[in-house]
Amino acid sequence: MRIDVITIFPGYLVPLREALVGRAIEKGLVQLAVHDLRSWTHDVHQAVDDAPYGGGPGMVMRPQVWGEALDAVIGDEPARLVVPTPAGRPFTQSTAEAWAEEHRLVFACGRYEGIDQRVIDDAAGRMPVEEVSIGDYVLVGGEAAVLVMIEAVVRLLPGVLGNPESAQQDSFSDGLLEGPAYTRPELWRGLAVPEVLRSGNHAAIARWRRDRALERTASRRPDLLAALAADALDRTDREFLAGLRDGVEDG
């Protein structure tokens, strides 16, 4: 996969050279290029923004600069353009999984009041464009969101994770939050690892982990349970959840 990021702060993306994503780049599993948007300015001040039409606070990023940048970076090669914005649709694990199938992703990091809408509209006539939000809050720019999204996508690429099953057991992979995890020692500060995890009974362990995932999701993200497909839960799952609800009502 090739990933391009266009930003006025190239240094913000340096952490992508670290840890798991950095190793994926070193192994040739990912090609990463970060481009300075100011390279496509033509004035002494390298201005990338201007006052908004219609008045109001803040500044809007200029279409001329962004248009030239996208033309130069993308060229004629097929790509999916991603624009982080609080006004975008939610970025989810399903989004990451879909993007992991792409050959090329290009991220456009907006700042101030965002990028002139005509840049997105123009690009949409030539390539798939997605305006995406990583949460219901506002950041000072798109760079932090891009760090999040790239890491979520890259870890799903073949060969990136040491154990591919890790991704299959992630939170959200089956619509549920992942349950708690434990390692050695068996007893720490008076707290013991659950006995079932030390039993060697793989069926019981799988059931315990499933129950903990259901329990955690019901407690922290009931909206995820409500969004599950009708066939996502089996009879044992439903009985366990019914027991949780009965316990709450009794309390």
Side-chain angles (χ1 to χ4, degrees), residues 28-244:
L29 300 174
V30 178
Q31 292 178 287
L32 174 68
V34 179
H35 311 271
D36 188 345
L37 178 66
R38 296 190 193 276
S39 300
W40 288 277
T41 59
H42 301 286
D43 64 291
V44 66
H45 299 294
Q46 294 187 306
V48 297
D49 59 319
D50 207 336
Y53 270 109
M59 304 290 277
V60 178
M61 301 193 88
R62 294 178 173 181
Q64 309 96 309
V65 182
W66 270 108
E68 287 191 30
L70 292 177
D71 290 346
V73 170
I74 298 176
D76 297 325
E77 184 181 349
R80 179 174 297 274
L81 177 63
V82 179
V83 183
T85 167
R89 69 179 182 86
F91 175 79
T92 65
Q93 186 68 16
S94 295
T95 311
E97 291 169 358
W99 290 357
E101 301 294 326
E102 296 283 344
H103 172 69
R104 188 181 186 196
L105 297 173
V106 178
F107 292 88
C109 298
R111 283 265 159 176
Y112 318 120
E113 295 302 308
I115 302 170
D116 188 301
Q117 184 62 39
R118 291 171 293 179
V119 174
I120 288 84
D121 295 342
D122 175 70
R126 297 177 285 131
M127 68 193 78
V129 177
E130 295 195 57
E131 296 180 80
V132 182
S133 168
I134 63 168
D136 295 338
Y137 45 84
V138 179
L139 302 171
V140 295
E143 289 79 9
V146 168
L147 289 173
V148 169
M149 292 188 282
I150 289 178
E151 184 162 310
V153 171
V154 169
R155 67 186 301 276
L156 298 176
L157 299 178
V160 173
L161 290 179
N163 185 348
E165 291 185 5
S166 296
Q168 298 171 12
Q169 297 177 8
D170 286 339
S171 290
F172 310 111
S173 59
D174 59 358
L176 302 175
L177 300 181
E178 190 174 7
Y182 299 86
T183 188
R184 294 178 180 82
E186 292 184 12
L187 186 67
W188 179 77
R189 295 189 177 180
L191 301 172
V193 173
E195 184 176 351
V196 65
L197 298 181
R198 298 178 278 124
S199 68
N201 185 331
H202 297 295
I205 291 171
R207 185 65 249 173
W208 182 89
R209 285 177 171 159
R210 179 71 172 179
D211 288 347
R212 298 293 75 72
L214 290 165
E215 184 177 52
R216 180 173 281 184
T217 306
S219 172
R220 302 179 183 181
R221 292 292 303 275
D223 58 302
L224 293 178
L225 284 178
L228 289 176
D231 60 351
L233 301 176
D234 62 21
R235 179 180 176 181
T236 306
D237 293 336
R238 291 191 291 272
E239 289 177 348
F240 178 78
L241 289 171
L244 289 179

